[in-house]
Amino acid sequence: MGDPGRRAALFEALATTGKALSNGKRLELLDLLAQGERSVEALARAAGLGLTTASAHLQTLRRAGLVVTRREGVRIHYRLAGEDVAALYGRLQQVALAHLDATGRARAAYLGPDDTDHLTREELLARVRAGTATVVDVRPAEEYAAGHIPGALSVPLGELEARLAELPAGAEVVAYCRGVNCVLAHDAVRLLVARGRRARRLVDGMLEWRLAALPVEAGAA
């Protein structure tokens, strides 16, 4: 049967990971880190947190072994501890959407109406190989630099309208962003369609693309 005390200690150790994931802001930080390494300051800005609060959340994630750090001068940079952490975060999203109605309602309220066409990763790959679509990464430029779909153009959502002329006229535009719960691609497609462009979005995003072991390029535009 084993020692009950040691069994309890094992499950308490396992619970450390669960506790680290039991906060919405910490999940948001993991979502950002799934796009690539960032400094504490950059994470705090992106998540809308004060520096002290962001640091506390990140330290909780580090103690749980979910993130690791490196120092560059006076700055501390965080990244996910491994692809298995990204997979855990992705699976958590899937389970929550599949089994908790409140998650689906919150997602729908955040992403807005289901008014944009989408395609799968396989369909996007076929279009890229055939050269029949212009792929646009609408995440912030630093996330594009950390890793993007090969051949994608970096056009952050806030710059999209001003840079429409850079997109080939008449070509289908496929926008993508961070992942299945990212609103940026939805808003990009809405804008493009309103301006008379043919546009779709990738059904999920960069997180799922990486987890599927599909090709990724790094470097600035």
Side-chain angles (χ1 to χ4, degrees):
M1 295 294 291
D3 181 89
R6 290 181 178 179
R7 182 175 183 275
L10 167 61
F11 281 95
E12 280 300 317
L14 292 171
T16 301
T17 301
K19 291 173 183 176
L21 297 174
S22 66
N23 179 280
K25 279 299 181 182
R26 288 199 286 273
L27 292 180
E28 190 173 348
L29 291 169
L30 287 179
D31 189 68
L32 292 166
L33 288 170
Q35 308 303 308
E37 181 184 85
R38 292 200 192 194
S39 69
V40 178
E41 293 82 0
L43 287 165
R45 286 193 302 270
L49 295 170
L51 192 59
T52 300
T53 303
S55 294
H57 283 310
L58 289 164
Q59 288 165 21
T60 297
L61 293 170
R62 182 176 58 80
R63 286 193 295 270
L66 298 174
V67 299
V68 294
T69 63
R70 71 173 180 88
R71 181 180 291 275
E72 184 177 46
V74 297
R75 291 198 168 189
I76 302 296
H77 296 259
Y78 279 83
R79 67 181 185 275
L80 296 184
E83 284 295 303
D84 52 350
V85 178
L88 173 63
Y89 172 60
R91 190 61 176 158
L92 184 152
Q93 294 181 83
Q94 293 172 3
V95 170
L97 283 169
H99 299 286
L100 189 62
D101 290 344
T103 303
R105 291 193 297 271
R107 181 176 185 271
Y110 174 58
L111 297 180
D114 186 14
D115 58 354
T116 56
D117 291 334
H118 62 263
L119 43 69
T120 65
R121 294 188 296 272
E122 293 75 19
E123 290 169 331
L124 176 55
L125 273 173
R127 282 167 168 76
V128 169
R129 288 167 179 159
T132 58
T134 298
V135 184
V136 175
D137 185 320
V138 296
R139 299 173 299 158
E142 64 267 27
E143 296 180 15
Y144 174 91
H148 55 267
I149 294 174
L153 304 175
S154 175
V155 187
L157 179 62
E159 303 174 11
L160 180 58
E161 186 158 21
R163 296 174 59 186
L164 285 177
E166 297 179 26
L167 305 180
E172 179 183 50
V173 179
V174 180
Y176 74 90
C177 53
R178 292 168 179 152
V180 69
N181 291 322
C182 179
V183 74
L184 301 177
H186 291 257
D187 287 346
V189 171
R190 290 175 184 128
L191 188 156
L192 288 164
V193 171
R195 298 298 180 270
R197 298 299 189 104
R198 291 191 300 120
R200 301 187 186 197
R201 60 179 173 82
L202 182 61
V203 71
D204 38 45
M206 200 63 212
L207 170 64
E208 294 81 9
W209 185 274
R210 284 182 182 275
L211 292 176
L214 294 172
V216 174
E217 289 182 350

